[in-house]
């Protein structure tokens, strides 16, 4: 039995702005995924669409932290592994998470997060830390490990470009003055 994973990606996803607005309103009205405003939902949909993913996936793959979209640790790990990254867990407990992250383009690093480090970083204010310390330590370890060895996932907000074409707005990667360069680019 093989441990290989089949990798598929749909890069043909393009939603009209009007479609995304309707979906954003429905998501905000439902209050699912912690999104309570159409603007927040629409922003996440634009990011997902720019990545070639269905707009509705944005609510599943992203958190809003301090009013900024950030890729969830589980989504980051899935993308890392789809891109050929590997993780070996050495410790996974309520006190410590330690793993080695390896990627062909970025090398390898072994790192850990423990409760003392989380306290020093002052990240334990969220009640989730008290209820699920192991999961929170795991998320911190994943985020730091992947951002260290795989720079492609080293940002919270990828390039998002709005393009006006034939009376509709489209969201997609690679459009605008800098292509898919640094930061958002808005083109009308």
């Amino acid at each position: 039995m093989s441990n290989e994973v089949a990798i598929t990606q749909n890069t043909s996803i393009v939603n009209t702005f009007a479609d995304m607005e309707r979906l954003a309103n429905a998501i905000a009205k439902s209050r699912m995924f912690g999104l309570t405003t159409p603007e927040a939902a629409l922003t996440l949909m634009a990011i997902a669409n720019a990545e070639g993913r269905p707009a509705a996936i944005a609510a599943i793959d992203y958190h809003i932290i301090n009013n900024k979209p950030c890729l969830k640790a589980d989504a980051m790990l899935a993308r890392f592994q789809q891109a050929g990254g590997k993780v070996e867990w050495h410790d996974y407990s309520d006190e410590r998470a330690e793993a080695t992250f390896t990627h062909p383009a970025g090398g390898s690093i072994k790192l850990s997060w423990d409760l003392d480090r989380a306290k020093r970083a002052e990240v334990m204010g969220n009640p989730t830390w008290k209820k699920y310390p192991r999961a929170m330590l795991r998320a911190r370890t994943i985020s730091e490990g992947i951002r260290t060895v795989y720079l492609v996932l080293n940002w919270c907000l990828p390039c998002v470009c709005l393009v006006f074409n034939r009376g509709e707005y489209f969201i997609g990667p690679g459009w605008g003055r800098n292509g898919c360069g640094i930061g958002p680019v808005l083109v009308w």
Side-chain angles (χ1 to χ4, degrees):
M1 183 171 171
S2 173
N3 289 333
E4 293 182 24
V5 175
I7 299 172
T8 61
Q9 185 176 3
N10 184 352
T11 57
S12 65
I13 304 295
V14 177
N15 296 298
T16 67
F17 191 75
D19 289 343
M20 290 196 315
E21 277 185 314
R22 281 192 298 275
L23 186 54
N25 283 318
I27 288 173
K29 217 179 258 188
S30 75
R31 298 193 180 279
M32 291 182 72
F33 310 110
L35 295 169
T36 58
T37 68
E39 295 81 8
L42 186 60
T43 300
L44 290 183
M45 288 177 191
I47 292 168
N49 204 302
E51 295 175 334
R53 299 174 189 278
I57 290 296
I60 296 168
D61 282 357
Y62 284 87
H63 287 295
I64 302 291
I65 300 174
N66 295 327
N67 209 29
K68 294 178 186 155
C70 288
L71 193 59
K72 292 179 180 179
D74 290 339
M76 187 181 290
L77 181 58
R79 293 179 187 190
F80 177 70
Q81 289 175 323
Q82 287 173 341
K86 297 186 184 324
V87 180
E88 180 184 351
W89 290 96
H90 309 294
D91 192 357
Y92 182 49
S93 69
D94 283 347
E95 291 79 34
R96 179 182 170 91
E98 181 178 71
T100 299
F101 295 83
T102 306
H103 192 277
S108 183
I109 188 166
K110 181 178 182 178
L111 56 85
S112 66
W113 270 82
D114 58 29
L115 292 178
D116 288 337
R117 183 173 179 200
K119 285 176 191 168
R120 284 193 311 275
E122 298 179 1
V123 296
M124 296 180 68
N126 182 328
T128 307
W129 274 94
K130 290 188 185 359
K131 292 180 183 177
Y132 307 103
R134 180 174 58 185
M136 298 302 285
L137 291 169
R138 176 182 176 271
R140 284 281 166 172
T141 303
I142 288 169
S143 180
E144 183 177 349
I146 292 172
R147 289 172 192 269
T148 301
V149 300
Y150 189 54
L151 296 177
V152 172
L153 292 177
N154 200 19
W155 58 82
C156 281
L157 184 61
C159 175
V160 177
C161 307
L162 291 175
V163 177
F164 184 79
N165 184 10
R166 296 186 199 138
E168 294 284 341
Y169 284 96
F170 294 91
I171 312 294
W175 296 317
R177 61 186 150 80
N178 293 332
C180 209
I182 300 170
V185 179
L186 303 176
V187 178
W188 285 272

